[in-house]
Amino acid sequence: MTGNAVEVEKGRDVQLGLVGLGKMGGNMAERLRRAGHEVVGYDRNPGKRDVDSLPALVEALEAPRVVWVMVPAGEPTKATVKELSELLSPGDVVIDGGNSKYTDDQVHDVMMREKGIGYIDAGVSGGVWGLENGYALMVGGTKEDVATAQPIFDALKPPAPHDESGQEMPGAGFVHAGPVGAGHFSKMVHNGIEYALMQAYGEGYELLAAVDLVEDVPGVIASWTQGTVIRSWLLDLLVRALDEDPELEEISGYAEDSGEGRWTVEQAIENAVPVPTIAASLFARFSSRQEDSPTMKAVAALRNQFGGHAVRAVQAQEAERPA
């Protein structure tokens, strides 16, 4: 096979229960099926699922079972994992592929081990492009549990690159990072880096757009995608966004954070590791949600107090000087 097709060794086809068939989960199910694996899917949306409940999903799988949970992190994942712990049998394995906090994984692992059920945390990167390109996987768990799920990981990960002689280069796109928790900890750091990279690209875009000297801002950014040291897939996606909306007029400058950036900064503080760039990118997202910054109001008031500098009235928006 060539391109992004998934190669599957004969005799390695496996059965997987997949909980959560949204944008990521649905595409993962399709990629696995293309690779020859059997996927039994459950989702709260009746139009997407193969079975109508978690008990029905467990019943449809042959022991030893492997169930992949792909639902939002936090309470939805905790509730799903708890229910599965009551439905599955010793020897089965649960994989959490969402963006759970690594400490949640450690709690879930203890709960599962008490019942003889294996547990793997899988950090997954690839977004909506993963169906065709594959998903980068960072997993935590025992060697035995990871080996059980390895055919699934092999189908989901990107095709292995080859060296100049045509030999497959191992390691790219998949890593067994360590014990339970290591997978999501690795994905957490990955997402912290992602925050910083996106912030840098965004700031560069804004500076280019702020000057009259540069007449083709999208063209400049597109020129960086080949041969430069800052080329990346994220840069390719920025080019795509600018091609669709050259001045980003259809997009609000409001950026959410899904938690991993905060957790990365928290862990940096706990371990005394300086991460000023990641921290700044996180705080920039907080700033994006403020229509009228209380901090900058205080700055303006202080400038007025010590230097008599002009302030702007909230309603009139006119510069005023003190009497």
Side-chain angles (χ1 to χ4, degrees):
M1 293 186 180
T2 58
N4 289 322
V6 182
E7 300 184 26
V8 181
E9 298 176 21
K10 292 182 179 180
R12 285 173 58 84
D13 295 358
V14 299
Q15 187 185 54
L16 177 74
L18 182 57
V19 183
L21 301 170
K23 291 180 180 179
M24 286 278 283
N27 282 347
M28 289 168 64
E30 176 61 24
R31 185 172 175 87
L32 288 166
R33 287 172 176 143
R34 290 181 186 180
H37 300 302
E38 178 187 354
V39 179
V40 180
Y42 167 67
D43 191 273
R44 295 174 63 183
N45 185 336
K48 297 180 178 181
R49 62 197 186 194
D50 302 308
V51 294
D52 60 7
S53 68
L54 282 181
L57 179 137
V58 172
E59 183 66 25
L61 299 174
E62 299 177 4
R65 306 170 185 85
V66 179
V67 179
W68 189 303
V69 178
M70 203 68 186
V71 300
E75 289 306 317
T77 293
K78 291 177 183 178
T80 302
V81 170
K82 186 177 187 303
E83 186 174 354
L84 285 171
S85 75
E86 298 166 351
L87 295 169
L88 295 172
S89 304
D92 295 342
V93 176
V94 171
I95 304 170
D96 176 7
N99 280 327
S100 295
K101 194 171 185 178
Y102 77 98
T103 50
D104 289 347
D105 296 312
Q106 294 167 338
V107 172
H108 292 158
D109 182 48
V110 171
M111 178 174 63
M112 291 295 187
R113 295 290 165 193
E114 290 175 348
K115 300 186 178 184
I117 302 168
Y119 185 88
I120 296 172
D121 60 296
V124 182
S125 181
V128 296
W129 300 87
L131 174 59
E132 299 300 330
N133 298 338
Y135 301 88
L137 303 167
M138 298 141 269
V139 307
T142 67
K143 291 182 179 180
E144 294 76 16
D145 289 339
V146 172
T148 297
Q150 194 63 54
I152 298 298
F153 299 142
D154 289 342
L156 289 173
K157 71 180 184 180
H162 292 76
D163 61 23
E164 295 180 356
S165 66
Q167 293 295 314
E168 186 175 293
M169 299 169 62
F174 171 83
V175 62
H176 180 188
V180 168
H184 280 148
F185 192 97
S186 300
K187 179 60 169 19
M188 175 191 74
V189 176
H190 165 283
N191 283 21
I193 294 170
E194 179 184 293
Y195 275 43
L197 289 172
M198 288 192 289
Q199 183 68 24
Y201 286 137
E203 291 173 4
Y205 164 76
E206 182 174 358
L207 181 55
L208 288 169
V211 301
D212 295 330
L213 183 63
V214 179
E215 297 178 348
D216 184 4
V217 174
V220 169
I221 292 176
S223 76
W224 294 344
T225 62
Q226 298 294 323
T228 73
V229 296
I230 62 167
R231 64 188 184 276
S232 74
W233 185 49
L234 281 175
L235 188 62
D236 294 341
L237 294 179
L238 179 56
V239 170
R240 179 187 176 93
L242 291 172
D243 184 58
E244 296 171 354
D245 184 4
E247 296 183 1
L248 302 181
E249 294 176 326
E250 302 301 318
I251 300 175
S252 168
Y254 182 108
E256 279 287 4
D257 67 288
S258 55
E260 298 92 335
R262 299 187 190 207
W263 302 338
T264 302
V265 173
E266 289 171 359
Q267 282 301 305
I269 293 169
E270 186 170 325
N271 291 279
V273 175
V275 291
T277 306
I278 294 174
S281 67
L282 173 65
F283 296 145
R285 294 197 182 193
F286 297 163
S287 296
S288 79
R289 302 167 205 167
Q290 296 179 313
E291 293 183 3
D292 197 10
S293 168
T295 297
M296 297 317 295
K297 284 186 177 183
V299 170
L302 286 169
R303 294 180 75 245
N304 175 261
Q305 289 293 321
F306 70 71
H309 299 287
V311 295
R312 289 185 176 270
V314 174
Q315 294 182 343
Q317 292 295 308
E318 296 176 350
E320 298 178 351
R321 291 186 179 277

